């Protein structure tokens, strides 16, 4: 079965550079979530989209932005990168039709800021 | 302030032992989910509970949702080394299935052979 696809899997950037992460949700899933997970920490909710509209916002820095496109894929844009942005970034998708909106996670994109 | 408190945060046991992980909150959740995560990989859904008092079993894993839907527990019987990983509880407070999911801090379980 198709899963959530994230790219790139690994990314190394310098401070103050820009990075873009991509997420392709499970087909027919209408909601996409972005989470940031630092070493040894639980996933922190950043932002979510339902039917291409932002549905909820968490602890996403102003330097970050995200959007969901007409084909339901989503991109997380991160600018003026800081050392503290180094983390695993997970995308998850779900469907409103699910029992309780269970999230299906991608394998994550590991961002390292040097 | 952590909305969901998990305990213990770390647990190291021998193969064959039983264990229970707790997930507590002062908030009421419309649903609560348990995930298992291995290093460098995304969390994988184990179970969803939606009804107060609900008990679900998944092989050697038993999940319970509190009557008031504010807490949950995960009990593992006869733990195996393959159970090693990070266990995360996550809950939604709203009624919409598209609302954000809030995670607990996680419980790192190590099962030694």
């Amino acid at each position: 079965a198709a899963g959530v696809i994230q790219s790139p899997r690994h990314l190394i950037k310098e401070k103050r550079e820009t990075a873009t992460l991509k997420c392709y949700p499970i087909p027919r899933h209408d909601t996409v979530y972005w989470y940031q997970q630092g070493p040894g920490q639980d996933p922190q909710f950043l932002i979510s989209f339902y039917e291409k509209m932002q549905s909820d916002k968490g602890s996403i820095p102003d330097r970050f932005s995200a959007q969901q496109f007409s084909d339901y894929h989503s991109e997380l844009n991160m600018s003026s990168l800081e050392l503290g942005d180094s983390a695993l970034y997970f995308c998850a998708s779900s469907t409103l039709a699910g029992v309780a909106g269970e999230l299906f996670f991608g394998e994550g994109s590991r961002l390292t800021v040097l | 302030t952590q909305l969901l408190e998990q305990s213990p945060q770390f647990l190291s046991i021998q193969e064959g032992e039983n264990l229970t992980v707790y997930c507590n909150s002062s908030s009421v959740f419309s649903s609560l989910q348990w995930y298992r995560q291995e290093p460098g990989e995304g969390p994988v859904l184990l179970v969803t509970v939606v009804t107060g008092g609900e008990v679900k079993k998944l092989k050697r894993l038993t999940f319970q949702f509190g009557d008031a839907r504010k807490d949950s527990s995960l009990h593992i019987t006869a733990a195996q080394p393959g159970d090693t990983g990070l266990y995360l509880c996550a809950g939604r407070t709203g009624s919409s299935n598209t609302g954000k999911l809030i995670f607990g801090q996680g419980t790192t379980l190590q099962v030694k052979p």
Side-chain angles (χ1 to χ4, degrees):
Chain A
V4 176
I5 305 297
Q6 288 188 248
S7 67
R9 291 294 313 279
H10 302 273
L11 193 58
I12 300 175
K13 290 286 186 178
E14 300 278 341
K15 279 172 54 178
R16 292 180 289 279
E17 284 191 325
T18 298
T20 297
L21 305 181
K22 296 185 178 182
C23 169
Y24 296 85
I26 292 173
R28 291 183 294 281
H29 277 198
D30 45 39
T31 309
V32 166
Y33 305 79
W34 285 98
Y35 283 84
Q36 178 193 58
Q37 187 175 30
Q41 297 181 2
D42 54 292
Q44 295 295 312
F45 172 74
L46 294 178
I47 196 167
S48 63
F49 294 87
Y50 170 64
E51 285 292 342
K52 293 156 279 185
M53 298 287 289
Q54 181 181 309
S55 57
D56 212 338
K57 198 171 182 180
S59 52
I60 184 170
D62 292 340
R63 299 176 289 107
F64 292 11
S65 66
Q67 57 180 323
Q68 187 178 29
F69 295 86
S70 57
D71 64 351
Y72 291 93
H73 94 272
S74 178
E75 294 183 2
L76 177 66
N77 299 294
M78 301 175 283
S79 62
S80 302
L81 287 170
E82 302 173 357
L83 296 179
D85 295 329
S86 295
L88 263 172
Y89 289 83
F90 288 106
C91 171
S93 73
S94 71
T95 171
L96 190 62
V99 171
E102 294 92 337
L103 266 59
F104 295 85
F105 284 83
E107 294 186 315
S109 293
R110 181 177 294 281
L111 172 65
T112 302
V113 182
L114 302 174
Chain B
T1 302
Q2 191 74 23
L3 195 60
L4 275 170
E5 298 283 344
Q6 273 188 249
S7 62
Q9 291 192 34
F10 301 97
L11 194 55
S12 181
I13 60 173
Q14 292 294 136
E15 181 177 0
E17 293 185 7
N18 302 331
L19 66 118
T20 302
V21 177
Y22 299 93
C23 179
N24 296 298
S25 176
S26 57
S27 302
V28 175
F29 292 97
S30 56
S31 67
L32 199 140
Q33 299 165 16
W34 284 92
Y35 292 81
R36 179 167 168 269
Q37 184 179 23
E38 301 208 16
E41 298 184 9
V44 176
L45 179 70
L46 295 175
V47 78
T48 298
V49 285
V50 296
T51 305
E54 182 176 6
V55 176
K56 281 192 174 179
K57 291 193 175 184
L58 186 67
K59 296 183 180 178
R60 293 176 293 100
L61 278 60
T62 301
F63 304 85
Q64 185 161 7
F65 202 12
D67 291 340
R69 290 185 290 136
K70 292 183 179 182
D71 56 270
S72 180
S73 64
L74 157 61
H75 182 78
I76 301 179
T77 304
Q80 304 293 312
D83 296 328
T84 294
L86 176 67
Y87 289 82
L88 295 156
C89 67
R92 274 199 178 85
T93 53
S95 57
S96 168
N97 281 352
T98 60
K100 62 186 176 187
L101 204 64
I102 303 298
F103 282 85
Q105 314 101 306
T107 295
T108 299
L109 171 66
Q110 181 189 43
V111 182
K112 293 179 279 190

